[in-house]
Amino acid sequence: MKKSALLAFFVVALFGAEYITLNNGKTILLKDDGTWEEVTIVKKGDKNIALRKDGKWEEVKPDDIESADVLKGGGTDRFMDSKFAKALLGKWESPDGKIEYTFTKDKAVFKKGPKVVEGKWSIEYLDESKRKMIVNIGEGARLGFLSFGGIARSLKFSPDFDKLYDESEKMESLKDVVLYRVK
Amino acid sequence: MKIAKLSLAALMALGVSAFAEVQNIKVSGDAKLFYGTQDADYEQVGARPARGDLFSDNDSYGQAALNIGVTANLADSVQGKVALTALSTLGLENNLVSQVWAGQTTNTVWWASEAWLAKTFSKTTVKVGRQELDTPLAFSEKWNIATNTFDAIVVLNQDLPETTLVGAYVGRGNGVNGMGVVRTTDNDGNTSGDFFRTYGSAIDDTLETDLASGAYAAGIITTAIPNTTAQAWYYNVNNIATAYWLQADVNLKDVLAGLIFGLQYANLNPDNKVDAAAGTSVDSSSGWGAKIGFDFKDALPGLKACVAYSSTDEDGAVSLSNTATGLTGESKLYTEAWWNYGYVARPSTDTWSVKVKYDMKDVAEFGAFYTSADQDTGKFVATPADMNEFALTATKTFGSLSATIAYIYTDADDQNYIDANNNGEWDQGEKSDSYNTIQLYLTYNF
């Protein structure tokens, strides 16, 4: 009995962190050999029991079942919880007022002279070490890495995050365009 | 054939290799429909009998344009863009209009307006191919339904702190003088084929010479001086002219929040290589401008105003305007008019302008622009022409659709000549009359 309890403890210790509950409610066991199998978690008293398809079972502590951190939207939203996305929120403007970006949680507006693009936004690419990102505004549709509609702008934060360098504008106008937060 | 197959295979391999490192590929563009009408009696746009009535087909101009482009951000700091522009009248010339905005043709035409690759090495960027440019004396004009572009090699360097060095070679361009802005015929007059010509040709046409052979430009833009953006540019339009442009824009927020000040000076020297007036030596043209602007963001958010003054030398022979569109088009002087380009940068001209913009939140963006250009006789100005313009605009966006309506009052000595002799002919040199213009700009971004 003691041996069984000891074995059960080691099994739980070994596999406890390998249980993941997916967004669809199913729980899987990640095995050491690189494969996985679906398991059923049942309650027995105050204990969680994982029932495996090979007929074996083991007790699992609640803390050993992790929730899956699924990437959203095929990757386009993956940086939206980053500090870069939060730091973008607000209104940014070039000193001459010719270029404007307004970022809110759900919508962004880009203005350059008569050109106005607005709609949902996301960070397509982020290089945290260089503080560079590609911001996608007003996308209409997506097919893999192809983005249709809207505008993609390459922006870079200053080290203290109080200025934005418009790298796309530099490529178009040959000037180092700095944007300042005005709201 | 084998070479072709090999090249194709190499291209595919390169393509796959590049796509594997793709960070973003954006397919986007815009569709435009522009319309304008005026009540001028004289032929202001195109050769036709004007009727002097707003909205009559003989006094109106309209066109549609489609721009579609693919922009790619690849690994290793490589960027690229390919864009096509197409112009069509949609048949409007059959009943609603009698002239077009750009291209001076009612044929449907299209061309590759951009095709460039750019690579960044440390703090140096090289951009090669067909591209837009934005420098004081060689730039892409954005006011029309189509934009002129350049075949150029541009190098940017930012090794100096807060400073950008620019070097450029411009080989060809499709800019033309006048309303057309872009050339839509090849050298044989066909509306298909290659519309780009050796840079300098737009000036070459004006001066009836055959000297164009490209241009070089070098510039330095720095923000090293606190609250100031200073820039200096030098140009050599081969065999035609040399020029330089100096400008400083200062944010006077330490004096008063929202206050800005700007100063600019330009000099364009035909260097006697171009004989603008037969038998007369040609002096350089020079001019300066100043502006003071204020952002009323604390008192009335969205309201901005600017007052500017410019003056050009009376001995000058040519205008201080865009060399890409033949020195008759848009100028980067602070006083440039909203619609009537070609006046403020002429020799022997003093100009005042007042510009007010108000972005009324959730309503529309409004603009009011007044320009008064006063030209005197000069060494190369025998018949001076004054111009006064007042323009009102309102812009509203509806999702992806942007709509602008504009009203322009024009009173220029060399426009809309009246039939003073009452002989049924509108002779230049007779008295001119003011006229009104209404324009509608619709742009759908996709």
Side-chain angles (χ1 to χ4, degrees):
Chain A
M1 184 62 185
K2 281 183 180 176
K3 279 184 182 176
S4 300
L6 198 62
L7 185 63
F9 173 79
F10 277 114
V11 166
V12 168
L14 192 62
F15 292 103
E18 306 297 330
Y19 289 96
I20 296 178
T21 302
L22 303 177
N23 278 3
N24 59 11
K26 293 180 179 177
T27 301
I28 60 169
L29 168 64
L30 300 182
K31 298 181 184 175
D32 286 341
D33 62 2
T35 62
W36 62 275
E37 71 171 75
E38 185 180 342
V39 296
T40 304
I41 304 293
V42 296
K43 283 272 187 187
K44 183 175 184 296
D46 58 351
K47 294 176 181 173
N48 292 312
I49 305 296
L51 303 177
R52 294 169 59 172
K53 289 190 175 171
D54 59 6
K56 296 178 180 173
W57 66 272
E58 57 210 23
E59 185 184 344
V60 184
K61 292 180 181 174
D63 292 346
D64 293 330
I65 305 175
E66 294 182 6
S67 294
D69 189 11
V70 179
L71 297 179
K72 302 170 193 170
T76 59
D77 297 343
R78 62 193 150 146
F79 302 118
M80 296 307 286
D81 290 329
S82 70
K83 64 177 180 180
F84 289 83
K86 293 183 176 78
L88 278 174
L89 297 176
K91 185 175 180 181
W92 301 81
E93 195 175 280
S94 61
D96 59 7
K98 289 180 180 171
I99 298 174
E100 275 182 28
Y101 291 86
T102 305
F103 294 98
T104 59
K105 189 180 175 188
D106 304 318
K107 182 182 169 185
V109 182
F110 167 74
K111 284 186 183 180
K112 181 185 174 186
K115 186 175 181 66
V116 180
V117 179
E118 61 181 67
K120 287 185 176 178
W121 68 284
S122 62
I123 296 177
E124 289 278 312
Y125 167 79
L126 178 62
D127 184 335
E128 292 199 26
S129 61
K130 295 178 179 172
R131 302 178 305 282
K132 288 176 72 171
M133 63 210 133
I134 296 172
V135 177
N136 192 356
I137 299 173
E139 179 180 85
R142 172 170 284 273
L143 189 63
F145 56 75
L146 281 175
S147 169
F148 296 91
I151 194 166
R153 302 287 288 185
S154 183
L155 303 171
K156 180 183 173 183
F157 270 114
S158 61
D160 51 8
F161 282 69
D162 68 340
K163 285 184 281 191
L164 265 179
Y165 296 96
D166 194 329
E167 302 279 309
S168 293
E169 190 58 27
K170 184 172 80 177
M171 202 56 71
E172 291 173 14
S173 68
L174 315 180
K175 290 173 194 159
D176 212 13
V177 176
V178 185
L179 305 163
Y180 296 89
R181 188 193 293 277
V182 293
K183 270 186 188 172
Chain B
M1 189 64 185
K2 280 182 181 175
I3 293 173
K5 280 183 178 174
L6 190 64
S7 300
L8 189 61
L11 277 172
M12 287 177 69
L14 279 172
V16 169
S17 168
F19 279 111
E21 300 294 333
V22 165
Q23 290 161 355
N24 178 276
I25 289 188
K26 171 71 79 179
V27 182
S28 62
D30 55 52
K32 297 177 180 175
L33 181 64
F34 286 10
Y35 170 81
T37 185
Q38 57 194 28
D39 61 1
D41 297 306
Y42 188 73
E43 290 86 8
Q44 291 298 301
V45 279
R48 65 193 190 285
R51 293 177 186 146
D53 297 325
L54 287 171
F55 306 110
S56 76
D57 55 347
N58 277 24
D59 297 274
S60 304
Y61 43 105
Q63 203 167 23
L66 177 70
N67 296 293
I68 185 162
V70 179
T71 309
N73 287 281
L74 309 174
D76 298 327
S77 301
V78 176
Q79 293 181 56
K81 182 175 183 181
V82 175
L84 298 177
T85 296
L87 291 175
S88 172
T89 63
L90 303 178
L92 295 172
E93 73 274 22
N94 295 321
N95 37 42
L96 290 177
V97 304
S98 60
Q99 258 298 343
V100 295
W101 281 73
Q104 296 175 321
T105 179
T106 53
N107 290 352
T108 296
V109 290
W110 67 273
W111 67 96
S113 49
E114 288 185 83
W116 54 264
L117 269 177
K119 163 81 176 167
T120 300
F121 308 89
S122 183
K123 292 185 177 179
T124 299
T125 299
V126 181
K127 186 178 177 184
V128 180
R130 186 162 294 179
Q131 56 192 288
E132 295 184 358
L133 288 180
D134 185 12
T135 77
L137 285 169
F139 58 93
S140 299
E141 297 190 18
K142 301 291 186 75
W143 58 273
N144 207 320
I145 199 166
T147 299
N148 61 299
T149 51
F150 306 81
D151 289 346
I153 301 168
V154 180
V155 181
L156 307 178
N157 177 272
Q158 293 183 303
D159 277 318
L160 295 174
E162 298 174 310
T163 300
T164 303
L165 301 173
V166 183
Y169 168 73
V170 185
R172 305 197 303 166
N174 68 337
V176 293
N177 56 65
M179 173 88 176
V181 171
V182 291
R183 189 171 187 246
T184 50
T185 54
D186 64 10
N187 288 330
D188 297 322
N190 301 313
T191 52
S192 61
D194 190 1
F195 304 151
F196 283 66
R197 291 183 304 169
T198 307
Y199 196 78
S201 296
I203 305 170
D204 185 21
D205 280 355
T206 309
L207 300 172
E208 297 177 352
T209 59
D210 187 22
L211 301 170
S213 56
Y216 296 92
I220 178 169
I221 304 119
T222 180
T223 54
I225 305 167
N227 301 326
T228 302
T229 300
Q231 52 184 309
W233 292 87
Y234 172 79
Y235 299 84
N236 185 349
V237 184
N238 293 335
N239 295 326
I240 293 178
T242 56
Y244 60 90
W245 185 285
L246 308 171
Q247 183 168 319
D249 295 287
V250 186
N251 188 333
L252 296 170
K253 63 183 181 183
D254 294 336
V255 177
L256 182 63
L259 188 64
I260 58 168
F261 174 73
L263 198 60
Q264 55 190 186
Y265 177 82
N267 181 288
L268 196 154
N269 185 7
D271 205 19
N272 282 329
K273 292 172 182 171
V274 176
D275 190 7
T280 309
S281 73
V282 179
D283 290 340
S284 64
S285 297
S286 62
W288 64 275
K291 74 169 182 181
I292 189 159
F294 192 70
D295 185 342
F296 295 81
K297 56 188 173 186
D298 294 328
L300 186 57
L303 179 65
K304 295 176 182 175
C306 179
V307 178
Y309 176 79
S310 69
S311 179
T312 58
D313 186 11
E314 63 183 15
D315 293 334
V318 294
S319 180
L320 298 167
S321 302
N322 191 1
T323 58
T325 49
L327 293 172
T328 60
E330 187 178 1
S331 165
K332 290 284 189 179
L333 286 174
Y334 295 134
T335 50
E336 184 56 280
W338 192 85
W339 174 249
N340 285 282
Y341 294 152
Y343 286 92
V344 307
R346 286 177 175 177
S348 197
T349 302
D350 296 329
T351 306
W352 279 101
S353 78
V354 180
K355 300 172 183 177
V356 180
K357 288 182 181 177
Y358 180 43
D359 188 356
M360 190 180 287
K361 198 170 189 294
D362 300 328
V363 179
E365 191 172 306
F366 300 97
F369 311 87
Y370 173 70
T371 307
S372 177
D374 179 8
Q375 189 180 37
D376 293 326
T377 54
K379 188 171 180 180
F380 295 96
V381 181
T383 310
D386 297 344
M387 189 280 293
N388 290 288
E389 174 194 290
F390 178 64
L392 292 171
T393 64
T395 300
K396 173 77 175 172
T397 56
F398 306 90
S400 298
L401 178 68
S402 172
T404 296
I405 187 165
Y407 164 78
I408 307 150
Y409 167 86
T410 303
D411 184 5
D413 289 344
D414 58 352
Q415 293 189 51
N416 196 27
Y417 304 107
I418 60 172
D419 184 18
N421 296 335
N422 199 27
N423 60 1
E425 295 177 0
W426 286 263
D427 303 316
Q428 292 194 17
E430 293 189 85
K431 191 181 173 186
S432 63
D433 195 8
S434 62
Y435 65 96
N436 304 290
T437 303
I438 293 172
Q439 295 174 341
L440 178 65
Y441 302 75
L442 297 174
T443 302
Y444 178 75
N445 296 300
F446 60 85

